[in-house]
Amino acid sequence: MTKEEEKIIEEFLSEICAVFPEIKPLMDKHEDYLNTSKMEEFANATTRAFGRTNKPERGKEYLEYMSKKLDRSKPIEAKFIDTYYVENLFWDSPKENVEVGWQYTPNNLKRLYVKFHGNEPL
C-alpha cells in the first residue's frame, strides 16, 4: 500500500470513529499500524450488534454506513471494505446474530460476501 493509500485508510477509520464513537475504543486496542485489525473490529461490532434482543438498529446503521461508503469509495477503500469488513461479517457468530443481520445487509455488501464465501452465511 502506498503512503497515500495508507492516509486514505487512516482517514476512513477516523471517520468511522467520528460517526460511531463507541467503535473507537475497540479500534484503539490495536497498534496504529494495524489498520486491517481495526476494520475487522468494526465488522465484529456489527455482527455483535445483531445479538441484542430486538435492538438491531445500531447494526443496521453500521451496515448502511458501509454500504453508502462502498458506493462512493475510492478503490483502496472499496478493497478495504471488501477484504476486512465484509469478509469478516458474521464470522464464527451465533446463528441468531446471522439470521437477524443478514436480513438487514444491503445488497452491495451481500454481493461481496457471497463472492468471497461462495454462499450466504445461513
Side-chain angles (χ1 to χ4, degrees), residues 1-47:
M1 189 179 314
T2 68
K3 291 280 188 198
E4 181 180 334
E5 289 173 330
E6 286 177 22
K7 184 175 182 298
I8 290 168
I9 294 303
E10 287 170 6
E11 289 171 358
F12 180 19
L13 294 173
S14 292
E15 179 182 311
I16 291 169
C17 292
V19 175
F20 306 109
E22 70 276 13
I23 299 300
K24 186 169 178 13
L26 300 174
M27 289 189 182
D28 284 349
K29 292 189 304 185
H30 301 280
E31 298 292 330
D32 288 343
Y33 64 90
L34 293 176
N35 290 333
T36 58
S37 295
K38 291 178 181 189
M39 183 61 82
E40 289 169 355
E41 284 288 352
F42 189 43
N44 294 338
T46 302
T47 302

Side-chain angles (χ1 to χ4, degrees), residues 13-14 26-28 30 37 41-42 47 49 53 58 61 71 77 81 90-92 97-100 105 108 115:
L13 294 173
S14 292
L26 300 174
M27 289 189 182
D28 284 349
H30 301 280
S37 295
E41 284 288 352
F42 189 43
T47 302
T53 308
R58 199 55 162 174
E61 290 172 2
D71 285 344
E77 292 170 319
I81 291 168
F90 311 118
W91 184 255
D92 200 26
N97 292 39
V98 177
E99 287 174 343
V100 173
T105 304
N108 61 347
K115 183 179 176 183

Side-chain angles (χ1 to χ4, degrees), residues 26-116:
L26 300 174
M27 289 189 182
D28 284 349
K29 292 189 304 185
H30 301 280
E31 298 292 330
D32 288 343
Y33 64 90
L34 293 176
N35 290 333
T36 58
S37 295
K38 291 178 181 189
M39 183 61 82
E40 289 169 355
E41 284 288 352
F42 189 43
N44 294 338
T46 302
T47 302
R48 282 192 307 273
F50 293 113
R52 297 187 184 114
T53 308
N54 298 320
K55 294 190 181 210
E57 292 82 17
R58 199 55 162 174
K60 288 169 39 178
E61 290 172 2
Y62 295 158
L63 288 169
E64 289 169 5
Y65 168 85
M66 291 302 274
S67 174
K68 289 175 184 172
K69 184 70 173 183
L70 179 63
D71 285 344
R72 65 186 197 296
S73 66
K74 296 174 178 146
I76 189 61
E77 292 170 319
K79 181 179 177 181
F80 218 74
I81 291 168
D82 183 13
T83 306
Y84 303 107
Y85 182 78
V86 173
E87 289 179 14
N88 287 282
L89 279 174
F90 311 118
W91 184 255
D92 200 26
S93 297
K95 181 180 177 184
E96 297 78 24
N97 292 39
V98 177
E99 287 174 343
V100 173
W102 188 251
Q103 70 181 332
Y104 295 116
T105 304
N107 288 332
N108 61 347
L109 299 178
K110 282 183 175 179
R111 282 190 296 275
L112 291 175
Y113 187 96
V114 171
K115 183 179 176 183
F116 176 76

